[in-house]
């Protein structure tokens, strides 16, 4: 069920000089404030994304990079904040200066076919740094492009659309909405079917702010991440794997969601693999899109960060010595807390604690973000059709993603990229294999 951490594949990518793509028409020059939730320390990062598309004979001779570049310029007329730059205002708060300066764009071609990336397509992808070139000086938070796009034409006629976005500007739902708008422009649409909405004030803290929940996701923890010799590997959970894992649960838990089940198993296996102190507290952050929790709901075109991280917390000893159902129950209780009041409590906590509030970057904290229903695989750039693969390009040591995919047999399932030190990855893989074989021996601590 695991894929190798690397594929022995080398190829040459020829890139044109990076250029700025500005909105196709004049756009408002103004300043836009980001919310505290947007501006939090844990979102001040660049996130890489990748989409693979097959050759389409009817588009023979079409320069897909030029087609997408033109559509990108048209899309930025509506999403013009993306064409601006971040600056710091009072107390270090980020402000978007909408100046129409543009996003970074790279046109490229590669002497490799889509088939050589493997079947099925899964991260980690070989030579990814060639498919999304890190333009020197483009990674900073301030005064840098908020998007970097590279379109690489493949030898077979297919292409790769790779993108890096500044997370303070949007979440996964917002990114999918933006990319879908580019696809619509490619297909000749004049206005996006879902008009973008900035209205960040809708998630402002209350006055006065009042914190009504315990937010373990932002506990102050005096520790730092020390992980080296990292390897990456993807794990597939199809109907067979999910059924086997579900059979490990007591009857009253077998109706848990697939997210709760897989997350609990990953959390337990990862904790065992990391060989942490038995008395150390560990946290599982269930990174949740909560747009559906508001009443009345937010406008459908809202593309800002609308994420909270309900958190399960326990000790290493309790997590590793109890059956996996123990972890499932903790995760179910954490997710059940996510109500409109929980979201408002999170916003109020930011208003009170400000820049001191951040997710602890410690080995014992692990986050899962569910992208299963985002629809990135449906992003369609015209007659090339839907993506063969669409999703995040990689995991980090502290966060993994659930990505929809198919295995070699065509079964639809959940793909989870994992990043761990080499020794821990081997223990993780063995632990998960034993769990699936019902051979797990309780009590590693």
């Amino acid at each position: 069920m695991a894929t190798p951490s690397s594929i022995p594949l080398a190829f040459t990518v020829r890139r044109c000089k990076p250029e700025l793509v500005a909105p196709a028409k004049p756009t408002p020059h103004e300043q836009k404030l980001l919310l505290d939730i947007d501006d939090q320390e844990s979102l001040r990062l660049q996130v890489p994304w990748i989409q693979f598309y097959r050759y389409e004979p009817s588009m023979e001779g079409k320069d897909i990079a030029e087609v997408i570049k033109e559509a990108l310029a048209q899309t930025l007329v509506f999403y013009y904040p993306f064409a601006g730059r971040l600056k710091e205002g009072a107390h270090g708060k980020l402000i978007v200066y909408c100046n129409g300066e543009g996003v970074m764009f790279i046109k490229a071609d590669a002497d490799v076919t889509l088939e050589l990336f493997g079947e099925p397509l899964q991260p980690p992808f070989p030579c990814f740094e060639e498919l999304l070139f890190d333009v020197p000086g483009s990674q900073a938070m301030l005064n840098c492009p908020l998007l970097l796009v590279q379109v690489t034409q493949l030898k077979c006629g297919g292409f790769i659309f790779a993108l890096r976005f500044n997370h303070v500007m949007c979440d996964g739902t917002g990114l999918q909405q933006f990319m879908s708008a580019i696809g619509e422009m490619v297909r000749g649409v004049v206005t996006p079917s879902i008009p973008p909405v900035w209205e960040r004030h809708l998630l402002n803290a209350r006055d006065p702010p009042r914190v009504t929940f315990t937010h373990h996701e932002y506990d102050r923890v005096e520790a730092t991440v020390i992980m080296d010799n990292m390897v990456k590997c993807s794990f597939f959970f199809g109907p067979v794997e999910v059924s086997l894992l579900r059979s490990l649960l007591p009857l009253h838990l077998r109706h848990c969601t697939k997210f709760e089940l897989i997350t609990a198993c990953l959390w337990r296996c990862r904790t065992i693999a990391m060989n942490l102190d038995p008395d150390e507290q560990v946290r599982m952050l269930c990174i949740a899109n909560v747009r559906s929790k508001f009443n009345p709901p937010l406008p459908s075109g809202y593309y800002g960060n609308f994420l909270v991280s309900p958190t399960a917390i326990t000790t290493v000893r309790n997590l590793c010595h109890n059956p996996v159902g123990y972890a499932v129950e903790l995760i179910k209780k954490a997710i059940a807390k996510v109500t409109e009041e929980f979201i408002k409590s999170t916003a109020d906590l930011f208003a009170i604690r400000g820049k001191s509030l951040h997710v602890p970057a410690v080995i014992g904290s692990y986050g899962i973000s569910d992208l299963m229903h985002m629809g990135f695989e449906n992003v369609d750039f015209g007659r090339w059709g839907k993506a063969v693969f669409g999703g995040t390009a990689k995991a980090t040591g502290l966060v993994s993603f659930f990505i929809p995919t198919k295995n070699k047999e065509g079964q639809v399932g959940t793909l989870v990229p994992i990043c761990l030190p080499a020794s821990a990855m081997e223990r993780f893989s063995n632990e998960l294999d034993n769990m699936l074989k019902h051979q797990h021996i309780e009590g590693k601590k």
Side-chain angles (χ1 to χ4, degrees), residues 165-182:
F165 72 100
N166 194 315
H167 207 331
V168 302
M169 291 295 292
C170 67
D171 59 12
T173 300
L175 178 67
Q176 196 277 343
Q177 181 180 304
F178 174 76
M179 288 170 57
S180 293
I182 298 174

Side-chain angles (χ1 to χ4, degrees), residues 24-285:
K25 298 177 182 178
T27 54
H29 279 233
E30 59 189 5
Q31 298 179 24
K32 288 186 176 292
L33 288 174
L34 290 169
L35 278 175
D36 288 329
I37 287 179
D38 294 315
D39 193 10
Q40 60 180 294
E41 194 68 31
S42 56
L43 295 185
R44 288 192 171 203
L45 75 163
Q46 308 277 355
V47 180
W49 213 265
I50 193 163
Q51 308 270 130
F52 289 81
Y53 292 86
R54 294 192 190 281
Y55 167 63
E56 170 50 53
S58 67
M59 302 307 289
E60 181 71 39
K62 286 281 187 179
D63 189 332
I64 181 59
E66 290 297 326
V67 170
I68 289 180
K69 184 173 77 170
E70 181 180 340
L72 176 61
Q74 295 169 346
T75 305
L76 289 172
V77 173
F78 303 93
Y79 288 86
Y80 63 89
F82 276 126
R85 297 293 183 269
L86 292 176
K87 298 185 183 296
E88 281 191 343
H91 309 295
K93 290 185 67 65
L94 291 177
I95 300 170
V96 185
Y97 276 67
C98 303
N99 56 12
E101 196 168 341
V103 304
M104 190 75 73
F105 185 86
I106 303 170
K107 176 181 176 181
D109 63 82
D111 60 353
V112 65
T113 64
L114 182 62
E115 289 70 27
L116 291 178
F117 283 93
E119 180 65 36
L121 284 165
Q122 297 178 350
F125 298 106
C127 306
F128 177 74
E129 66 282 354
E130 295 291 330
L131 301 173
L132 185 60
F133 178 61
D134 182 12
V135 179
S138 68
Q139 281 254 24
M141 289 298 298
L142 304 180
N143 302 311
C144 278
L146 298 171
L147 288 171
L148 169 66
V149 177
Q150 179 173 326
V151 178
T152 305
Q153 186 91 41
L154 301 177
K155 187 177 180 181
C156 59
F159 71 94
I160 297 171
F161 176 96
L163 173 148
R164 191 183 71 199
F165 72 100
N166 194 315
H167 207 331
V168 302
M169 291 295 292
C170 67
D171 59 12
T173 300
L175 178 67
Q176 196 277 343
Q177 181 180 304
F178 174 76
M179 288 170 57
S180 293
I182 298 174
E184 289 181 325
M185 297 298 167
V186 170
R187 298 194 300 276
V189 175
V190 177
T191 303
S193 58
I194 302 178
V197 174
W198 179 268
E199 310 294 337
R200 308 281 166 127
H201 67 275
L202 296 174
L203 293 178
N204 277 340
R206 295 173 287 201
D207 188 15
R210 55 186 186 275
V211 178
T212 53
F213 283 81
T214 300
H215 293 276
H216 287 300
E217 60 271 33
Y218 300 114
D219 283 348
R220 291 187 173 99
V221 180
E222 297 299 325
T224 56
V225 173
I226 303 176
M227 291 197 283
D228 53 17
N229 191 25
M230 303 294 283
V231 296
K232 299 170 184 177
C233 195
S234 290
F235 294 83
F236 177 79
F237 296 87
V240 173
E241 290 81 8
V242 170
S243 178
L244 286 170
L245 293 176
R246 204 176 289 278
S247 70
L248 297 175
L249 301 178
L251 290 176
H252 72 282
L253 289 176
R254 290 189 182 178
H255 293 294
C256 69
T257 67
K258 188 163 64 171
F259 175 84
E260 292 164 347
L261 175 65
I262 298 175
T263 298
C265 294
L266 293 175
W267 185 25
R268 192 172 187 278
C269 291
R270 179 184 183 274
T271 302
I272 292 171
M274 293 301 294
N275 278 337
L276 302 174
D277 186 298
D279 296 319
E280 182 175 338
Q281 284 189 328
V282 286
R283 293 164 176 78
M284 170 50 73
L285 284 70

Side-chain angles (χ1 to χ4, degrees), residues 328-343:
V328 170
E329 287 192 298
L330 290 177
I331 289 167
K332 285 179 69 69
K333 288 176 182 176
I335 293 174
K337 293 192 302 184
V338 181
T339 60
E340 184 172 346
E341 178 59 30
F342 181 87
I343 301 162

Side-chain angles (χ1 to χ4, degrees), residues 49 173 176 235-238 242 258-259 262-263 287 289 368-378 390-391 401-406 411-417:
W49 213 265
T173 300
Q176 196 277 343
F235 294 83
F236 177 79
F237 296 87
V242 170
K258 188 163 64 171
F259 175 84
I262 298 175
T263 298
I287 304 168
N289 181 325
I368 295 286
S369 182
D370 188 359
L371 307 178
M372 290 295 292
H373 307 292
M374 292 287 185
F376 284 98
E377 69 280 9
N378 296 324
F401 302 88
F402 285 7
I403 305 170
T405 191
K406 293 180 181 178
Q411 293 178 321
V412 177
T414 302
L415 186 72
V416 188

